[in-house]
Amino acid sequence: MNGFRDTRRSGEPVAGDGLLFLREQQIRLAQELMVLAWLDLGQAIAPVLEELHLGAAQYRALQMLAFRPGLKVGELQAVLGVTKQSLARTLTELQERALVSAEQGRQDRRQRFLFLTPHGRDIERRLFSVQREQMVTAYRSAGSSAVQGFRQVLQGMLSERSRVFLTREDGVAKETAKGGRRDGQ
């Protein structure tokens, strides 16, 4: 075997067989591009964050709650990979500014489900719109097949924890579904 070709018993080729882009130099280039793209997306919203007196940690929390309203505090902590103390500071600041609300669990009062308030949703949308423009420009330039391939590559790099997060039911956890608030108002 030459290190590039791997076939299954059926003789069917495995995805990526014989592709030279899997060499270390190309993988390092891809890693460098991802880091620079992430930094550039952050720099694009930096002036808006400064204007709003928000930090990167606060924006990441807003993003996650926009993706998955009704996250429990522990789930948000796990997906962000931060300490309890760090998340507590971030959430306190966001709640004091009326950007995030927390609802107590109906069955387990120790649980808190987090939601963006209407003002929080407006702020998150404003920040996303800045990054959206960069992404739309790049996607249009690359074409639909490249965009699909890019998504597949990103999904392939996800940890099990992130995959579980993505498969979590959209919206509010079942516990708050009956009679619970869904809009953070």
Side-chain angles (χ1 to χ4, degrees):
M1 198 160 2
N2 64 12
F4 291 106
R5 186 150 184 81
D6 183 16
T7 57
R8 304 212 186 273
R9 288 186 183 164
S10 66
E12 292 294 315
V14 173
D17 277 358
L19 297 176
L20 297 179
F21 68 80
L22 295 177
R23 292 188 176 170
E24 184 167 345
Q25 180 182 6
Q26 294 302 314
I27 293 171
R28 285 189 178 275
L29 174 61
Q31 182 184 34
E32 181 181 28
L33 290 170
M34 285 189 297
V35 168
L36 290 172
W38 183 249
L39 290 172
D40 287 347
L41 284 171
Q43 287 176 350
I45 62 168
V48 181
L49 288 174
E50 187 175 330
E51 172 193 328
L52 298 169
H53 304 287
L54 290 172
Q58 293 163 322
Y59 179 49
R60 284 191 297 274
L62 292 174
Q63 282 179 305
M64 286 300 126
L65 294 175
F67 297 150
R68 299 285 195 269
L71 276 178
K72 291 183 254 180
V73 173
E75 292 172 324
L76 182 60
Q77 179 192 351
V79 76
L80 292 177
V82 297
T83 64
K84 285 182 183 180
Q85 294 83 2
S86 177
L87 183 60
R89 268 191 313 275
T90 299
L91 289 176
T92 297
E93 292 166 359
L94 292 172
Q95 287 175 309
E96 286 174 354
R97 296 187 57 190
L99 300 176
V100 170
S101 67
E103 292 183 19
Q104 199 172 46
R106 294 192 185 288
Q107 294 175 355
D108 184 346
R109 296 227 176 260
R110 294 171 297 177
Q111 291 182 329
R112 290 187 315 153
F113 296 88
L114 302 170
F115 301 87
L116 294 180
T117 63
H119 184 53
R121 284 193 303 271
D122 290 343
I123 296 293
E124 190 280 332
R125 278 189 209 116
R126 180 176 172 201
L127 289 160
F128 172 70
S129 70
V130 173
Q131 291 179 328
R132 180 186 181 280
E133 291 309 312
Q134 282 183 271
M135 294 176 73
V136 166
T137 299
Y139 280 179
R140 283 187 178 141
S141 175
S144 63
S145 62
V147 170
Q148 182 58 33
F150 177 66
R151 285 187 189 138
Q152 288 173 325
V153 168
L154 292 176
Q155 288 171 345
M157 290 190 291
L158 295 178
S159 67
E160 184 62 27
R161 181 191 71 207
S162 294
R163 286 187 179 126
V164 167
F165 178 77
L166 284 178
T167 60
R168 180 187 180 273
E169 255 182 58
D170 283 338
V172 183
K174 290 179 184 177
E175 181 181 354
T176 62
K178 289 186 178 180
R181 295 181 310 191
R182 293 176 172 248
D183 61 359
Q185 294 179 357

